[in-house]
Amino acid sequence: MESAAETAEAEKEVAAEKEVAAAGGGVEDKYGEDRATEELPVTPWAFSVASGYTLLRDPHHNKGLAFTERERDAHYLRGLLPPGVVSQDLQVKKIMHNLRQYKVPLQRYVAMMDLQERNERLFYKLLIDNVEELLPVVYTPTVGEACQKYGSIFRRPQGLYVSLRDKGKVIDVLRNWPERNIQVIVVTDGERILGLGDLGCQGMGIPVGKLSLYTALGGVRPSACLPITIDVGTNNEQLLNDEFYIGLRQRRATGEEYHELMEEFMDAVKQIYGEKVLIQFEDFANHNAFDLLAKYSKSHLVFNDDIQGTASVVLAGLLSSLKVVGGTLAEHTYLFLGAGEAGTGIAELIALEISKQTNAPIEECRKKVFLVDSKGLIVSSRKNSLQPFKTSWAHEREPVTTLLDAIKSIRPTVLIGTSGVGRAFTKEVIEAMASFNERPVIFSLSNPTSHSECTAEEAYKWTQGRAVFASGSPFDPVEYDGKIRVPGQANNAYIFPGFGLGVVISGAIRVHEDMLLAASETLAAQATQENFDKGSIFPPFTNIRKISALIAASVAAKAYELGLATRLPRPRDLEKYAESCMYTPVYRS
């Protein structure tokens, strides 16, 4: 039994947590108006809720036909709506029915974006309740096509556009955004959108899509999210000659001009929004991505999803696959096709986890990982001509120029594709993997689907159904030898929403690699035997809100352990605290 002193101490801790929750908004809110991840208000302005006609055009408060009779009188809506009153659930049912009538994915994307601009809460309710069906619409692969055609489907601006014309006044551009309490920024310069290349200003579809998932899957308030595109031009001739292109019509700025604008932007973000805003770099080209992450990780709370987020979800898939193929992480050999942001990021996180598990030096652990780029296997004899981020993977081996020769030479147990080259895993390549592995692990991660190194069907067919397969973009279930296999998707959306929530609820001021490892281990633990029996090494997306809360709790715990958290005192139960902090999109009265 607890003593009176212990009881009093526990009550004091609970009271302190309530105080923290109140400051951060983690208090229960029966209307679902999340103040979870919200600091004390800093904006001096007063906001009033619109009424009447204006209210129906305010996406933050509009409920459409779900306004009750009483609300219609109170807000001067009488006569502006048909007399029928419907529930939010019925609205969701109707919109899903309408979306399913569209045969073209891009039409669904446009319809979803229209809904987000019209009724924000209904948009997120729809996405949360139908996440497995709608995730490919608002995210990969459809968002890739949306970015390619962004100028043609552009209706209302979403997010902020910072261009070279704004140099010297970036801080004024940020001040034009109506919200002051921003907690997550996703920023791109559009140079390397998915596997589609330079899409310039039209890359805005990526930050918008990512942040909708931060809210739907991770529970970060929509008003705390800010999508930003840095427009420094484009080298895409097709876009420069497209009359509907919405960005600067000039060749892409580089060197000093580029880095000066980025530095001004990063300084302005810190000045306007403070030190605890998470800045996620998204779809920057290799030559800038590594430099920006290295430069600003010491002074800002920054995260690169292409390098770190992809690495974290793939490491989780590998940890999960060990339960199927056996052995430890250190006992396997890894071969990558592709040595860019994703490839080297995953490779480094694998080496870090092996080092953590075995206490071996990181340099020794890297020797289990091999990378093939466009010129062949990365070996020490090529060191002088390699980009800096590849040199750690230049091992002492004989040079080979093809992937097939590399497989025959190294005999890997795990093959990972991050090349962006569609169908690069040929029949010969996959059959070679199957020839010396009872259960070859094959991850075909490039996006969108057309750029995937192989399809799920090819992986299963060419290994006689023995492959442990995961992909970057979704594939339909495959029937082979009378058995249905549901291929797993190594989707970053498993990681970054929960990771972001964990950073926000702990008030972390920096991202540490151990926080990424914690996220990977937590995700891997959620995969069950039932998933493995179906052929998937990842848990179903239907549980993603729960998974995000667990990841947020583990990331926050690691931030507290490392002394990087500023929200004190630490909540006793981080998982419950994370859940209490998650935005829920039910209508408010």
Side-chain angles (χ1 to χ4, degrees):
M1 290 184 59
E2 287 186 336
S3 68
E6 287 173 331
T7 305
E9 185 63 29
E11 286 174 354
K12 274 175 67 179
E13 283 190 36
V14 170
E17 280 173 36
K18 284 182 177 174
E19 195 175 317
V20 173
V27 294
E28 182 183 354
D29 187 337
K30 62 186 176 182
Y31 299 122
E33 169 66 356
D34 166 74
R35 300 201 169 272
T37 47
E38 186 175 7
E39 299 285 355
L40 290 169
V42 292
T43 179
W45 310 323
F47 291 95
S48 59
V49 177
S51 291
Y53 189 79
T54 310
L55 176 57
L56 295 178
R57 276 146 187 78
D58 180 352
H60 306 300
H61 299 101
N62 178 32
K63 298 197 289 187
L65 288 176
F67 282 113
T68 64
E69 294 286 346
R70 188 174 172 185
E71 287 169 336
R72 294 179 190 208
D73 285 333
H75 295 290
Y76 307 99
L77 298 172
R78 183 70 63 186
L80 298 180
L81 289 165
V85 177
V86 303
S87 68
Q88 190 178 27
D89 287 337
L90 189 62
Q91 288 179 312
V92 167
K93 183 179 178 181
K94 183 183 83 170
I95 292 173
M96 282 306 300
H97 171 77
N98 292 341
L99 286 174
R100 287 169 182 148
Q101 307 307 306
Y102 294 121
K103 302 304 178 191
V104 179
L106 188 61
Q107 292 175 328
R108 293 184 184 184
Y109 175 88
V110 172
M112 288 290 287
M113 293 304 104
D114 282 349
L115 177 62
Q116 189 177 19
E117 290 297 315
R118 193 171 69 246
N119 186 332
E120 184 177 84
R121 287 180 179 271
L122 185 56
F123 170 83
Y124 287 112
K125 173 78 169 159
L126 188 78
L127 188 50
I128 290 168
D129 289 356
N130 302 275
V131 64
E132 288 192 308
E133 186 173 349
L134 295 180
L135 189 64
V137 176
V138 299
Y139 193 46
T140 56
T142 309
V143 72
E145 184 185 358
C147 288
Q148 288 176 308
K149 299 174 181 176
Y150 207 75
S152 301
I153 63 174
F154 181 83
R155 299 185 182 191
R156 290 180 63 183
Q158 295 172 292
L160 273 179
Y161 294 85
V162 176
S163 79
L164 285 171
R165 293 177 186 167
D166 304 315
K167 206 170 177 184
K169 48 190 177 184
V170 171
I171 197 163
D172 297 326
V173 174
L174 294 184
R175 285 191 177 119
N176 287 341
W177 190 250
E179 302 290 343
R180 281 294 174 271
N181 188 17
I182 299 299
Q183 290 164 326
V184 181
I185 289 171
V186 176
V187 59
T188 186
D189 70 354
E191 188 169 5
R192 192 207 62 105
I193 298 298
L194 302 175
L196 302 171
D198 187 350
L199 298 183
C201 191
Q202 296 190 168
M204 179 57 99
I206 297 294
V208 169
K210 288 271 182 178
L211 286 168
S212 68
L213 299 186
Y214 264 109
T215 297
L217 312 186
V220 180
R221 281 177 304 114
S223 59
C225 298
L226 175 55
I228 297 179
T229 291
I230 307 285
D231 187 358
V232 294
T234 178
N235 294 335
N236 187 324
E237 291 294 340
Q238 190 177 346
L239 289 180
L240 290 172
N241 296 321
D242 183 353
E243 62 179 330
F244 298 130
Y245 181 56
I246 58 175
L248 289 178
R249 292 180 185 273
Q250 65 172 65
R251 306 290 293 178
R252 187 170 280 277
T254 57
E256 191 176 342
E257 186 179 17
Y258 176 87
H259 287 289
E260 282 177 358
L261 182 64
M262 285 303 301
E263 189 159 342
E264 184 184 350
F265 167 72
M266 296 298 286
D267 290 345
V269 166
K270 203 168 186 178
Q271 190 173 335
I272 295 283
Y273 302 121
E275 194 167 18
K276 290 183 282 185
V277 60
L278 176 63
I279 304 168
Q280 178 174 315
F281 294 127
E282 191 67 37
D283 286 352
F284 285 77
N286 292 346
H287 56 271
N288 289 322
F290 290 99
D291 290 347
L292 291 171
L293 186 61
K295 179 177 180 180
Y296 292 109
S297 59
K298 299 177 182 68
S299 58
H300 292 68
L301 181 63
V302 294
F303 170 70
N304 185 307
D305 191 45
D306 304 302
I307 299 172
Q308 297 166 300
T310 301
S312 189
V313 75
V314 173
L315 176 59
L318 291 172
L319 292 171
S320 180
S321 68
L322 294 178
K323 299 170 190 174
V324 178
V325 300
T328 65
L329 210 60
E331 290 168 350
H332 287 269
T333 305
Y334 309 86
L335 178 62
F336 286 77
L337 177 63
E341 294 170 55
T344 54
I346 299 164
E348 184 67 14
L349 208 62
I350 291 170
L352 281 167
E353 181 71 9
I354 293 173
S355 177
K356 179 184 169 186
Q357 290 180 3
T358 62
N359 292 319
I362 185 75
E363 295 78 16
E364 199 64 32
C365 299
R366 288 190 183 118
K367 293 177 181 177
K368 301 291 293 180
V369 185
F370 299 86
L371 283 77
V372 172
D373 64 8
S374 59
K375 294 181 176 63
L377 185 65
I378 294 176
V379 291
S380 54
S381 59
R382 292 179 52 196
K383 215 161 191 175
N384 292 337
S385 62
L386 291 172
Q387 294 164 285
F389 59 86
K390 295 182 183 181
T391 54
S392 300
W393 312 102
H395 305 314
E396 289 285 347
R397 286 191 83 90
E398 287 298 312
V400 294
T401 55
T402 70
L403 175 62
L404 186 58
D405 287 340
I407 288 172
K408 290 175 180 176
S409 169
I410 295 162
R411 296 176 68 84
T413 53
V414 179
L415 178 64
I416 299 175
T418 61
S419 63
V421 180
R423 305 303 176 267
F425 291 173
T426 61
K427 187 170 187 280
E428 292 75 20
V429 162
I430 292 176
E431 285 180 344
M433 283 292 294
S435 68
F436 50 80
N437 289 304
E438 178 59 33
R439 298 297 303 272
V441 179
I442 298 171
F443 286 5
S444 170
L445 301 177
S446 294
N447 288 315
T449 312
S450 58
H451 290 240
S452 185
E453 284 79 8
C454 71
T455 66
E457 185 176 6
E458 289 166 345
Y460 293 129
K461 183 180 173 183
W462 294 335
T463 61
Q464 296 80 48
R466 292 185 284 124
V468 177
F469 178 79
S471 60
S473 286
F475 283 104
D476 291 331
V478 175
E479 184 177 355
Y480 181 84
D481 200 21
K483 184 179 177 183
I484 300 290
R485 290 169 173 80
V486 182
Q489 187 186 357
N491 194 324
N492 293 21
Y494 276 117
I495 291 287
F496 71 79
F499 185 88
L501 179 64
V503 166
V504 168
I505 65 172
S506 63
I509 53 170
R510 296 290 180 272
V511 169
H512 191 279
E513 59 202 18
D514 284 356
M515 293 155 74
L516 296 166
L517 295 178
S520 297
E521 290 162 6
T522 303
L523 175 57
Q526 305 315 305
T528 65
Q529 189 60 47
E530 184 183 352
N531 305 137
F532 302 146
D533 291 343
K534 291 178 180 175
S536 177
I537 53 174
F538 290 98
F541 256 104
T542 46
N543 302 333
I544 188 61
R545 297 265 292 187
K546 177 68 176 175
I547 293 167
S548 291
L550 290 167
I551 290 172
S554 65
V555 168
K558 188 58 69 174
Y560 281 105
E561 183 186 319
L562 295 167
L564 296 173
T566 60
R567 182 160 287 177
L568 300 171
R570 169 181 166 157
R572 291 176 78 189
D573 189 329
L574 281 168
E575 186 187 333
K576 283 185 179 174
Y577 183 63
E579 287 175 349
S580 76
C581 287
M582 295 177 84
Y583 167 88
T584 49
V586 297
Y587 286 142
R588 299 174 64 201
S589 293

